[in-house]
Amino acid sequence: MKRFNHVIVRRPCKAMIQGITSGLYPGKPDYKLALDQHGAYIEALKKCDVDVTILPPDEDYPDSCFVEDPAVLTEKCAIITNPGAASRNGETSSIEETIRKFYPEERIEHICHPGTLEGGDVMMCGDHFYVGRSQRTNEEGIRQFADILGKYGYYCSEVKLEEVLHLKTGVNYLENNNLLVSGEFIHKPEFQKYNRYVIPEEEAYAANCIWVNGRVIVPAGYPAVLKAVQTMGYETIEVDTSEFRKLDGGLSCLSLRF
Ligand code: GLY
């Protein structure tokens, strides 16, 4: 039975208003509201029986609250990524410092130039890791990632992205063979074997829910997805992420769960 014991989050910094955005969800984030929403997110995680490490804001990196991207943490190893977004590339150093408290040196791996990879493109389903080939994660990054995973008995497969930022922008695994799937991922053959809930287009953002020890955290304001997740049998916790959505960020991007 899968279990997360730890979660790492980073408080949003004031510079988040200059974070990268596609403009799909217009508007500048309201910093004060973002801090409140982040606080509610931490409270929701605590209800899921995990120990939460809270890192301070890092003003050098506007998108640094999206801690999922600079690392991929598994039961057997930690992989420090090489984010494809130039303004985010330096986020790895301070995340690595934190990760050293949880993983021995020999189990900390790295994705190196010219490979790029961001954690938002990685979806773990047991021992199988799906990796999105996106504008942030390239072929060489996936090749290195597959090699690293192979050393630990994991395997991975590539999913080509055409439209969304990261793989988990549109598809998320809720354990027990349950998958939330939206947009360009609905007809992908590799996902047909799961018990899928196909997200209505108007609720596409809510494909990004997270499973944490049997509970599922769902973004507030998406009633069809909320009901579907409850019908799958999960206890749900809603968290408003409106200010992070303006930066194309969601629930999964805001934490590292391991
Ligand atoms: N704003 C989140 C990202 O683009 O990485």
Side-chain angles (χ1 to χ4, degrees):
M1 172 74 174
K2 186 181 172 81
R3 179 170 166 80
F4 293 127
N5 294 309
H6 305 285
V7 171
I8 298 171
V9 299
R10 183 185 290 288
R11 299 256 190 223
C13 59
K14 293 195 186 82
M16 79 176 286
I17 59 166
Q18 275 122 36
I20 308 170
T21 176
S22 66
L24 182 62
Y25 301 100
K28 287 264 180 219
D30 174 326
Y31 180 58
K32 165 79 181 60
L33 184 53
L35 277 182
D36 290 348
Q37 291 179 349
H38 198 261
Y41 179 68
I42 292 169
E43 289 314 307
L45 288 166
K46 285 181 178 165
K47 285 187 191 144
C48 301
D49 308 319
V50 285
D51 166 63
V52 184
T53 298
I54 305 172
L55 303 178
D58 184 347
E59 293 294 342
D60 290 340
Y61 297 102
D63 287 294
S64 53
C65 60
F66 300 120
V67 285
E68 181 176 63
D69 293 314
V72 175
L73 303 182
T74 78
E75 269 179 26
K76 299 177 190 166
C77 65
I79 302 165
I80 308 300
T81 69
N82 189 27
S87 69
R88 303 200 57 192
N89 198 261
E91 289 175 27
T92 49
S93 326
S94 79
I95 276 292
E96 180 162 357
E97 228 178 277
T98 305
I99 282 166
R100 287 185 182 282
K101 295 180 187 137
F102 297 97
Y103 289 84
E105 175 76 30
E106 66 276 13
R107 287 184 179 262
I108 301 180
E109 309 277 357
H110 296 84
I111 302 294
C112 304
H113 176 80
T116 65
L117 188 134
E118 294 191 359
D121 276 321
V122 176
M123 180 172 75
M124 302 180 207
C125 301
D127 288 347
H128 185 175
F129 291 58
Y130 291 96
V131 191
R133 184 157 159 196
S134 68
Q135 300 207 341
R136 305 286 184 85
T137 295
N138 66 15
E139 187 180 3
E140 170 60 14
I142 296 174
R143 192 197 61 73
Q144 292 179 24
F145 189 65
D147 277 359
I148 294 167
L149 291 178
K151 276 175 33 184
Y152 294 91
Y154 296 131
Y155 58 107
C156 86
S157 53
E158 177 183 314
V159 183
K160 182 101 179 61
L161 269 63
E162 311 285 349
E163 292 164 16
V164 295
L165 172 63
H166 286 132
L167 178 66
K168 283 185 292 194
T169 307
V171 56
N172 282 272
Y173 187 57
L174 302 183
E175 304 299 320
N176 307 315
N177 207 45
N178 292 322
L179 196 73
L180 298 178
V181 63
S182 72
E184 64 184 287
F185 304 107
I186 294 171
H187 299 294
K188 295 265 187 205
E190 58 265 57
F191 296 137
Q192 304 302 317
K193 66 181 179 193
Y194 293 100
N195 173 36
R196 300 174 320 137
Y197 173 68
V198 175
I199 307 241
E201 202 179 327
E202 64 280 10
E203 295 202 10
Y205 174 79
N208 191 256
C209 291
I210 51 172
W211 176 97
V212 188
N213 297 337
R215 296 183 175 87
V216 175
I217 307 181
V218 180
Y222 297 91
V225 175
L226 181 68
K227 188 162 172 234
V229 173
Q230 288 170 344
T231 304
M232 284 175 177
Y234 298 108
E235 186 181 321
T236 52
I237 307 175
E238 283 184 277
V239 175
D240 192 354
T241 52
S242 66
E243 302 317 290
F244 303 98
R245 187 172 58 208
K246 292 171 184 169
L247 301 179
D248 305 305
L251 290 163
S252 77
C253 324
L254 287 169
S255 61
L256 281 162
R257 304 163 297 282
F258 59 108

